[in-house]
């Protein structure tokens, strides 16, 4: 079961809880779209093919999402080094601005054309291909968390191996202390909604 409707992490949690299906077979599109937008914008900024940018947006698909900068690299070269190489010396500020733009792009698109559809359609195609072809691609889909990174009892996005059986598990990317704290905060936002909505 692939959940795309928003709020996607809350609905993924709900689907896991009430569908009776094995947890690993219930996933949400999560931050796959946000990650694609991040790669695209970074590709533009660094003047490099976005497919060579390895990065993830993690956490909630929404306002508390996090760009996992500490594990970001361009073809294996750490982000900071690649930025310097491309002549970007204010890269911390640029990365912050890019992450904000990713976070706000859905609002911007909705304001201009009422809804978002092409981007999410591409993301759904990507996830479905990984499932149908059993690609075992690493995608930031939303799935139930059980203690990894100190997060438990909510569905949110972390890089996961996706194939014909749904998710085969998380990929343990490195997070800085700051990113880990932000992830915990993102999980708390979701846990609060689950509690208030009494799901
Ligand atoms: N996860 C993402 O990144 C992402 C991106 C874009 C949109 N979305 C979500 O996708 C969902 C759909 O967006 P949209 O722009 O296509 O919305 P939409 O309003 O155009 O389409 C929703 C459709 O659902 C139908 N529907 C409503 N209640 C139903 C019910 N009880 N049973 C059967 N059908 C029902 C409506 O008739 C309508 O055709 C929204 O929840 C939106 O937030 C998610």
């Amino acid at each position: 079961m692939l959940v795309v409707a928003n709020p996607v992490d809350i609905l993924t949690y709900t689907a896991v809880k009430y569908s009776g299906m094995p947890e690993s077979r219930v996933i949400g599109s999560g931050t796959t779209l946000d990650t694609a937008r991040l790669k695209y914008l970074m590709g533009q900024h660094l003047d490099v093919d976005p497919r060579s940018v390895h990065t993830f947006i993690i956490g909630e698909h929404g306002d508390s999402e996090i760009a996992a900068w500490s594990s970001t690299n361009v073809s294996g070269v750490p982000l900071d080094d690649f930025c310097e190489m491309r002549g970007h010396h204010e890269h911390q500020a640029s990365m912050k601005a890019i992450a904000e733009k990713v976070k706000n792009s859905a609002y911007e698109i909705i304001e201009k054309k009422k809804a978002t559809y092409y981007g999410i359609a591409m993301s759904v195609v990507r996830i479905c291909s990984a499932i149908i072809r059993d690609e075992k691609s690493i995608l930031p889909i939303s799935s139930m968390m059980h203690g990894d990174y100190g997060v438990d009892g909510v569905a949110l996005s972390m890089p996961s191996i996706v194939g014909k059986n749904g998710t085969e598990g998380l990929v343990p990317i490195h997070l800085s202390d700051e990113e880990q704290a932000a992830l915990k905060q993102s999980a708390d936002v979701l846990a609060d909604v689950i509690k208030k909505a009494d799901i």
Side-chain angles (χ1 to χ4, degrees):
M1 184 187 293
L2 173 60
V3 178
V4 182
N6 280 316
V8 70
D9 300 295
I10 300 295
L11 293 180
T12 302
Y13 171 89
T14 309
V16 167
K17 187 161 175 189
Y18 295 103
S19 67
M21 288 176 64
E23 241 180 58
S24 55
R25 299 178 73 90
V26 181
I27 61 178
S29 56
T31 52
T32 312
L33 173 56
D34 317 62
T35 298
R37 285 178 177 147
L38 179 64
K39 287 185 183 190
Y40 173 74
L41 289 175
M42 285 183 64
Q44 273 194 327
H45 179 70
L46 298 170
D47 198 18
V48 71
D49 185 340
R51 291 174 298 185
S52 301
V53 179
H54 303 291
T55 189
F56 291 104
I57 297 269
I58 57 170
E60 178 200 17
H61 168 62
D63 293 339
S64 69
E65 69 186 26
I66 304 121
W69 294 127
S70 65
S71 65
T72 298
N73 67 81
V74 184
S75 247
V77 179
L79 180 59
D80 288 358
D81 297 347
F82 199 87
C83 285
E84 294 282 332
M85 191 187 113
R86 296 305 255 173
H88 293 293
H89 305 294
E90 299 292 326
H91 49 87
Q92 305 276 3
S94 305
M95 293 307 129
K96 214 171 155 194
I98 287 174
E100 272 308 300
K101 197 167 161 57
V102 168
K103 202 181 289 184
N104 293 324
S105 50
Y107 297 123
E108 201 182 314
I109 297 166
I110 289 167
E111 193 187 303
K112 288 188 173 143
K113 60 172 208 181
K114 308 274 184 267
T116 68
Y117 28 85
Y118 295 122
I120 185 60
M122 297 281 286
S123 297
V124 169
V125 166
R126 181 71 195 91
I127 298 167
C128 289
S129 306
I131 296 170
I132 291 164
R133 299 194 184 122
D134 195 22
E135 285 175 5
K136 306 199 192 285
S137 304
I138 296 168
L139 301 171
I141 48 104
S142 185
S143 68
M144 278 303 293
M145 297 290 289
H146 294 291
D148 297 75
Y149 304 94
V151 175
D152 191 37
V154 295
L156 53 67
S157 289
M158 287 303 294
S160 309
I161 303 173
V162 181
K164 68 174 187 226
N165 297 314
T167 170
E168 290 191 4
L170 305 181
V171 177
I173 57 166
H174 166 79
L175 296 181
S176 66
D177 290 347
E178 204 181 322
E179 288 162 352
Q180 192 145 342
L183 183 68
K184 184 79 183 54
Q185 214 170 2
S186 189
D188 290 347
V189 169
L190 294 165
D192 201 39
V193 174
I194 290 168
K195 195 167 163 220
K196 283 198 180 123
D198 195 18
I199 297 168

